[in-house]
Amino acid sequence: MEWELKSDRPIYTQLLEELKRRIVSGYYKPGEKLMPVRELAQDAKVNPNTMQKALMELERQSLVFAVRTTGRYITEDEELIRSMKKEFAASHAKNFYDEMSALGYDKEEMLQYIREYEEE
């Protein structure tokens, strides 16, 4: 999976979001060992310190845990992962709703647009 980092927002924020997305989508499985910080940073083409900061935040949120001698692992708490996935979905749905409302669409038109998009 490619890292798609843009210059419009802080890299740290984008790394954090992408790592969370990979966890909630199942790209990283519960209990799976992550690559070392330097390898993740090299893969994402970012400074290792920036990647380290994002991973520390994931640890703070309990999505990742560190085992001192072996590295970092994805949480095995599947309820936490489901909860985070629901938060992601709610955030995206709110953004979509707000943007479409600003364009003048009502709820029914939004749903129709989604149905049409799904059929493409």
Side-chain angles (χ1 to χ4, degrees):
M1 181 180 269
E2 287 293 315
W3 296 83
E4 294 183 29
L5 304 175
K6 299 178 176 92
S7 61
D8 63 338
R9 296 181 312 133
I11 298 299
Y12 158 77
T13 303
Q14 294 179 67
L15 289 174
L16 186 57
E17 288 173 1
E18 181 60 26
L19 288 165
K20 282 183 181 180
R21 184 176 293 108
R22 289 175 181 209
I23 293 169
V24 302
S25 72
Y27 180 82
Y28 294 140
K29 306 287 184 231
E32 180 179 340
K33 183 179 180 187
L34 287 172
M35 290 189 290
V37 174
R38 290 195 181 281
E39 286 181 39
L40 278 171
Q42 186 176 13
D43 191 43
K45 298 176 180 66
V46 298
N47 185 298
N49 293 330
T50 307
M51 183 62 76
Q52 174 71 13
K53 184 178 174 185
L55 290 168
M56 287 175 61
E57 178 59 22
L58 289 177
E59 282 184 46
R60 192 188 71 70
Q61 295 177 14
S62 300
L63 287 169
V64 169
F65 64 94
V67 176
R68 189 172 190 156
T69 57
T70 61
R72 286 190 173 89
Y73 296 82
I74 303 301
T75 184
E76 294 179 346
D77 184 346
E78 293 187 25
E79 183 57 40
L80 176 61
I81 293 171
R82 276 192 295 277
S83 173
M84 189 63 62
K85 187 173 188 172
K86 190 174 181 179
E87 282 181 35
F88 256 88
S91 174
H92 287 289
K94 182 184 180 331
N95 289 341
F96 175 78
Y97 184 85
D98 291 347
E99 288 292 322
M100 295 299 279
S101 291
L103 292 171
Y105 288 96
D106 65 26
K107 188 169 112 177
E108 212 36 61
E109 290 171 316
M110 290 179 210
L111 291 171
Q112 182 59 37
Y113 190 85
I114 290 170
R115 285 184 203 102
E116 290 171 6
Y117 182 78
E118 185 179 50
E119 292 170 1
E120 288 181 3

